[in-house]
Amino acid sequence: MPENASSEPVRPSRRSVLGVSAAASVAVATGLSGAAHAADPPVAGEFDVVVVGAGAAGMTAAMTAAARGLSCVVVEKASTYGGSAARSGAGIWIPNNSVIRAAGVPDTPQKAATYLAAVVGDEVPLARRQAFLDHGPAMLDFVIANSPLKFRYMGGYSDYYPELPGGLPGGRSIEPDLLDGRILGAELDRLNAPYMPVPDGMVVFSADYKWLTLSLVNSKGFAVANECLARATNAALHGVKPLTMGQALAGGLRAGLMRANVPVWHNCPLTDLHIENGAVRGVVVTRNGAPALVKARRGVIVGSGGFEHNAAMRAQYQQQPIGTAWTVGAKENTGDGIRAGERAGGALGLMDDAWWGPAIPLPGEPYFCLAERTLPGGLLINQAGARFVNEAAPYGDVVHVMYEKNAAAPDIPAWLIVDQNYRNRYLFKDIAPTFVFPDSWYQSGAVHKAWTLDQLATRIGVPGAALKSTVNRFNSLARNGEDLDFHRGDSAYDHYYTDPGVTPNSCLAPLWLAPFYALKIVPGDLGTKGGLVTDARARVLRADGSVVPGLYAAGNASSAVMGHSYAGAGSTIGPAMTFGYIAANHLAG
C-alpha cells in the first residue's frame, strides 16, 4: 500500500499549522523520524492495526478493521469505554443515510453537499467534506450489520441552518434505538456513565427531551412522558436492561467489538507513537504500571478525543476566559493523542475552537443548556444588563458571540433571566415545574432569585435601570411576536425547543410574574474540535501537506470536518464514526 502517496492536493491553511515548526524540531531532536530507539520498552503485542481510544471513532475504526480481516487492539486510557460519546445524547448527523431515507426524508447527495459547503465554507477542503458525505451512509449500514445497533430518525430536529441552500427544516439527525444492556455481560459495568442520567422509572430517547420539558403544558408532552414510563415498565417486565442515547451507542459498538473478538485494553494510556524507518508502526503505552510497546504492522488510528481537560493546552490555544471546569467532555480527554501526533510531525488545525454551548456552572458539574435558553419567557443579558444574542440560535453560535463581544461589552459570564411563570410551566434540567432549585445552586452563585428586577440586578451586579429597560423592551417584542433586535424565531431551528402553545411566536413570551431568577451562563462545551489535520482518507498531514506514514486520526483528536461551524445535531459523532471507518478501510486496502 503506497502509504505516502497523496490522492488530492490537500494543504492545511495557515490556521492549521499552529505549533508545527516547534513540533518538527522536537521530532528531529528526539529521532522520531528515524529508526526505532534502542531503549524501546518491552513489546506487549503486535497487531495489524492499533486503535487509540474506545470512543465512537475508535470503536467504529476497530470494528471496521476486524471486518476487513485485520488483527486489531484498542488501547484505552480510562477504566471505562465510550468516552464522551457514552455521556452524550448520541445524535448522529449523516446525510442520505438509510434510516432517514426509510423515513421519507427528502435528502439528496447534491442537497447535502450544497448545504455542507454553505455551512463550513472553504476552510475545510472539498475532498474531505465529500469523503464524509460519500462514506457516512456506508459506515452506518456497516455498523447496523456488524453490531446490535439500530437507529431512529429524530424527526423535526431541524438542521441548524435550515434556511441555507440544501438545509432541511425537518432535519437529518438520527439516534440509537433501545439496546438491551444484557448483551454486554460483564462489560456493561465498564460503560462510561452518562453526563445526565435518565430519570428513574423512565426510558428516554434524546428526541423525547423536547417534549418532556413541556409535559405539564402540552398534550403531546404529557403523552411522551407516559410513553417513557411505559417503556420502562415493559423493560422491567421482560428483564431488559434498557440503554438509550450515548449509552446505547457506546454499548452497541462495544458489543460489535466483542462479536469480532477485538480486545480493549483498559487503563492503558498512550505516552507516544512508535516510529520505524520514518513511519508510525505502533504506540508506547503504560500497561500494568509500566511502559510497553504495542506494534502495528500497518498503522495507528488515533481516536483519543480532544484536549478539553488539559488546562495548559486550552490556555495556549483558546480565548480567555477558559479552563477545564466548564466542559462536559470525558475527563480523560487531555490531548494525549494530539500531542503525540504533533511530535510525529502532524499539523494542527482549529485548536482555538470547541463544540461550544452555553453552560450553567452548577456545583459538581456544568449543565449544558439547550432548551432552557430557548423556551419562551427567558432572555440572555450581558454585564451591562442588555441582550446581546438570539438566545435560540445554535448553541455553538451563542458562545462564539459571547467571545466576540466579551472584550467590548463583557458577557462572560452572561445571565439567563426567567420569571416564575416560566418556572411554573417548564422542566429545567431535571427540576420539575414549580419545584424549587436546590440550595446548592444558590450557594454556589450559579442561581440568584429576587422579588423585583432591581433586587435581582443588585445580586448579579448589573445596572438595575438597564435590566428593567431590557426586560420591558423584550416584553413588548414578545407580545407582538417579532424579535426586531435579534430575530429570535426567524429560523425553523429556533422553534425546536420551544412551546407550541405560545403564540404568535413560540420562542417569545413576556416576563411578568415574580419572583425573577438569574442563572449564570458561561462558555461550556461538549469537547474541543481542534486536532491533527487529516486528508480525505483520515491520514495525518504535515504542515507541507505530505502524509505522516502510518498515522490516522478521527473524532476530536482530528481537526473537525465541520470547521468552525456545526451543521446539525450529531455533527460531532457522525463524522467521528465516519472517519474512523474511512481510516480502517484505507489501512485494509
Side-chain angles (χ1 to χ4, degrees):
M1 179 175 60
E3 287 281 359
N4 57 359
S6 180
S7 60
E8 63 283 305
V10 177
R11 291 185 179 272
S13 67
R14 289 180 181 271
R15 184 190 296 271
S16 73
V17 296
L18 292 171
V20 168
S21 297
S25 300
V26 171
V28 172
T30 57
L32 287 173
S33 59
H37 290 266
D40 283 335
V43 176
E46 184 169 356
F47 303 84
D48 292 325
V49 180
V50 175
V51 175
V52 182
M59 288 196 286
T60 303
M63 198 161 63
T64 306
R68 294 295 304 272
L70 303 181
S71 63
C72 182
V73 66
V74 180
V75 295
E76 168 55 50
K77 180 180 184 179
S79 60
T80 58
Y81 60 88
S84 294
R87 293 170 55 77
S88 74
I92 299 173
W93 195 84
I94 297 174
N96 296 298
N97 70 70
S98 58
V99 177
I100 66 172
R101 291 200 307 270
V105 175
D107 202 6
T108 67
Q110 184 57 47
K111 279 185 183 178
T114 299
Y115 177 65
L116 195 60
V119 170
V120 175
D122 295 333
E123 186 164 24
V124 176
L126 172 61
R128 191 157 178 257
R129 301 196 313 262
Q130 197 60 49
F132 164 60
L133 296 174
D134 289 345
H135 294 279
M139 179 279 296
L140 192 74
D141 289 343
F142 168 82
V143 167
I144 292 170
N146 289 272
S147 79
L149 282 165
K150 305 300 177 190
F151 296 89
R152 302 158 55 99
Y153 173 48
M154 299 173 72
Y157 201 154
S158 169
D159 285 342
Y160 287 177
Y161 308 97
E163 291 76 27
L164 289 179
L168 296 182
R172 295 172 162 101
S173 301
I174 62 173
E175 63 172 313
D177 209 338
L178 188 145
L179 183 78
D180 186 353
R182 292 179 300 177
I183 65 172
L184 291 164
E187 285 299 298
L188 180 60
D189 292 335
R190 287 190 180 271
L191 178 57
N192 198 19
Y195 149 62
M196 193 170 78
V198 171
D200 290 338
M202 303 184 88
V203 174
V204 182
F205 294 109
S206 190
D208 294 334
Y209 274 104
K210 162 190 170 65
W211 297 107
L212 291 178
T213 300
L214 305 173
S215 58
L216 197 67
V217 296
N218 181 278
S219 60
K220 183 171 181 179
F222 182 76
V224 168
N226 283 329
E227 185 178 351
C228 293
L229 290 167
R231 288 189 205 119
T233 300
N234 186 62
L237 288 173
H238 291 88
V240 171
K241 293 183 177 178
L243 301 177
T244 59
M245 298 183 283
Q247 298 287 281
L249 179 64
L253 291 173
R254 183 68 185 91
L257 294 185
M258 292 165 64
R259 184 184 294 179
N261 296 313
V262 175
V264 177
W265 293 357
H266 288 281
N267 302 302
C268 195
L270 171 75
T271 58
D272 215 338
L273 297 170
H274 174 72
I275 314 293
E276 292 183 7
N277 300 318
V280 175
R281 287 291 179 261
V283 297
V284 179
V285 298
T286 300
R287 192 174 188 219
N288 299 323
L293 172 61
V294 188
K295 288 195 170 185
R297 287 181 284 268
R298 298 207 180 192
V300 171
I301 302 172
V302 177
S304 53
F307 59 93
E308 56 266 25
H309 284 282
N310 186 320
M313 289 181 73
R314 298 206 81 152
Q316 177 181 0
Y317 292 109
Q318 299 188 325
Q319 294 183 65
Q320 296 296 329
I322 197 63
T324 60
W326 299 337
T327 182
V328 299
K331 65 181 184 299
E332 292 83 9
N333 291 348
T334 55
D336 306 345
I338 296 171
R339 284 304 196 205
E342 184 186 25
R343 289 192 294 271
L348 305 182
L350 296 175
M351 296 293 283
D352 59 329
D353 213 343
W355 302 100
W356 301 114
I360 302 172
L362 299 177
E365 187 170 50
Y367 175 62
F368 197 86
C369 205
L370 288 174
E372 293 82 2
R373 64 187 167 81
T374 301
L375 289 163
L379 67 154
L380 286 173
I381 61 164
N382 61 20
Q383 293 171 32
R387 288 180 74 206
F388 62 94
V389 71
N390 169 11
E391 295 88 350
Y395 35 92
D397 289 356
V398 174
V399 173
H400 280 140
V401 171
M402 290 176 73
Y403 276 120
E404 288 164 8
K405 294 188 175 182
N406 186 57
D411 50 33
I412 302 176
W415 296 95
L416 173 62
I417 309 298
V418 302
D419 71 345
Q420 189 60 44
N421 179 56
Y422 173 106
R423 283 296 303 123
N424 289 344
R425 294 175 63 85
Y426 308 124
L427 180 75
F428 195 103
K429 189 179 181 283
D430 53 359
I431 309 298
T434 75
F435 280 54
V436 298
F437 290 140
D439 290 343
S440 61
W441 292 17
Y442 293 101
Q443 292 162 0
S444 71
V447 183
H448 297 267
K449 174 182 174 182
W451 287 92
T452 69
L453 290 173
D454 275 324
Q455 291 171 344
L456 190 67
T458 298
R459 291 181 184 176
I460 63 175
V462 306
L467 177 58
K468 287 191 294 184
S469 175
T470 296
V471 171
N472 288 338
R473 168 70 175 171
F474 180 83
N475 286 352
S476 175
L477 298 174
R479 291 188 189 99
N480 291 327
E482 185 176 6
D483 181 7
L484 300 175
D485 296 340
F486 294 97
H487 307 287
R488 178 169 164 182
D490 285 7
S491 171
Y493 172 78
D494 293 358
H495 293 271
Y496 181 70
Y497 282 113
T498 57
D499 183 350
V502 172
T503 57
N505 184 335
S506 68
C507 294
L508 300 173
L511 288 70
W512 57 273
L513 181 62
F516 300 95
Y517 301 83
L519 297 107
K520 184 180 291 186
I521 299 291
V522 296
D525 65 71
L526 303 170
T528 50
K529 64 159 55 174
L532 296 163
V533 175
T534 58
D535 67 6
R537 296 177 179 175
R539 299 177 297 185
V540 174
L541 301 179
R542 300 187 181 96
D544 63 3
S546 63
V547 171
V548 178
L551 184 59
Y552 297 72
N556 287 352
S558 64
S559 177
V561 73
M562 293 293 160
H564 285 290
S565 198
Y566 209 136
S571 292
T572 308
I573 295 176
M577 295 173 69
T578 300
F579 281 103
Y581 172 80
I582 289 172
N585 274 313
H586 190 256
L587 275 168

